[in-house]
Amino acid sequence: ELKVEQNPLFLSMQEGKNYTIYCNYSTTSDRLYWYRQDPGKSLESLFVLLSNGAVKQEGRLMASLDTKARLSTLHITAAVHDLSATYFCAVDVNFGNEKLTFGTGTRLTIIP
Amino acid sequence: EPEVTQTPSHQVTQMGQEVILRCVPISNHLYFYWYRQILGQKVEFLVSFYNNEISEKSEIFDDQFSVERPDGSNFTLKIRSTKLEDSAMYFCASRTGLAEYTGELFFGEGSRLTVL
């Protein structure tokens, strides 16, 4: 059974600081997704990582994938309050299937 | 920008009642999904649907659940006899065909189901 673990589960950080969220998974896969969820809202796709060594950046967020280590990271640079949300990583093992297995989520709170 | 729309946004029902949750996927999308999220927990896959049939379903998707695409636009999830543990946010998602596929799933805003 595929397991996807994120850490930390909760992260409170000051504006302007940098931090990294980690996503480990248990089965070979080269497809990993990052989503953002605001309270009571839907899942917003942030990044789709489709190969080993993939790195994508959007604004203050950068995601990377190491399929050998079965690890993805979501790096936040110079955090701002608007980034407060819950971040989920998700993995699927059959491309085109989208039976995504989600991580537990990381609730990020940015303190002014 | 095209989006996945879901109705109702919130439904309260009594245990044992039937519930139908509705979704209108993005119009040129071919693959459809239901996921659910129990409050405070992670998102879980329920079912995928393509070409008018179920492609894959999870252990959660037992005989009490069914999906249907009754016309060219709607995609529905029916729970035949709701239980307390069915209380959750249900998300519909859709994506394009393989030729255009970039790996991105588009999720709706969700339907919150509360079973009393």
Side-chain angles (χ1 to χ4, degrees):
Chain A
E1 181 193 340
L2 173 59
K3 285 185 169 45
V4 182
E5 293 181 350
Q6 284 180 241
N7 71 82
L9 298 182
F10 299 93
L11 177 56
S12 182
M13 54 191 290
Q14 285 187 313
E15 279 190 327
K17 299 289 188 186
N18 305 333
Y19 210 82
T20 301
I21 299 171
Y22 297 89
C23 174
N24 289 91
Y25 54 98
S26 62
T27 302
T28 301
S29 171
D30 56 5
R31 287 172 289 281
L32 190 132
Y33 310 82
W34 283 97
Y35 287 89
R36 168 184 172 143
Q37 186 180 39
D38 291 298
K41 299 291 186 183
S42 185
L43 296 156
E44 176 192 352
S45 177
L46 294 175
F47 299 108
V48 178
L49 303 169
L50 297 177
S51 62
N52 184 39
V55 177
K56 290 195 175 177
Q57 182 160 8
E58 180 75 34
R60 299 173 189 275
L61 300 178
M62 184 173 71
S64 65
L65 177 61
D66 180 344
T67 58
K68 291 185 173 57
R70 298 179 188 169
L71 170 69
S72 179
T73 59
L74 180 66
H75 187 72
I76 303 147
T77 302
V80 294
H81 181 69
D82 285 352
L83 291 179
S84 296
T86 299
Y87 293 85
F88 290 95
C89 63
V91 177
D92 80 70
V93 293
N94 293 310
F95 186 68
N97 188 337
E98 287 70 52
K99 182 185 174 183
L100 299 182
T101 300
F102 280 78
T104 46
T106 296
R107 184 175 294 182
L108 174 64
T109 304
I110 310 295
I111 303 165
Chain B
E1 186 177 327
E3 58 181 22
V4 177
T5 57
Q6 291 185 240
T7 54
S9 55
H10 188 193
Q11 182 156 355
V12 181
T13 190
Q14 295 289 328
M15 194 166 55
Q17 295 296 303
E18 176 182 285
V19 159
I20 297 176
L21 305 178
R22 292 182 168 81
C23 169
V24 179
I26 295 173
S27 64
N28 64 338
H29 284 190
L30 301 177
Y31 296 78
F32 314 112
Y33 307 84
W34 284 101
Y35 283 79
R36 81 171 186 189
Q37 184 181 31
I38 294 171
L39 186 64
Q41 298 187 25
K42 63 180 179 179
V43 179
E44 300 173 291
F45 170 82
L46 290 180
V47 67
S48 58
F49 190 87
Y50 170 70
N51 200 25
N52 280 320
E53 58 183 34
I54 290 174
S55 307
E56 190 156 355
K57 59 184 180 179
S58 71
E59 291 173 357
I60 303 167
F61 195 89
D62 62 21
D63 291 345
Q64 293 300 311
F65 290 86
S66 63
V67 288
E68 195 175 41
R69 189 158 159 81
D71 53 45
S73 58
N74 290 286
F75 178 51
T76 62
L77 174 69
K78 183 194 290 187
I79 309 174
R80 230 177 304 280
S81 176
T82 50
K83 308 186 196 67
L84 294 176
E85 55 265 36
D86 293 328
S87 295
M89 181 75 95
Y90 288 81
F91 291 106
C92 175
S94 70
R95 71 160 177 90
T96 62
L98 281 177
E100 307 87 13
Y101 184 45
T102 59
E104 189 171 2
L105 270 190
F106 294 82
F107 283 84
E109 291 280 317
S111 292
R112 179 167 296 286
L113 175 65
T114 302
V115 182
L116 302 177

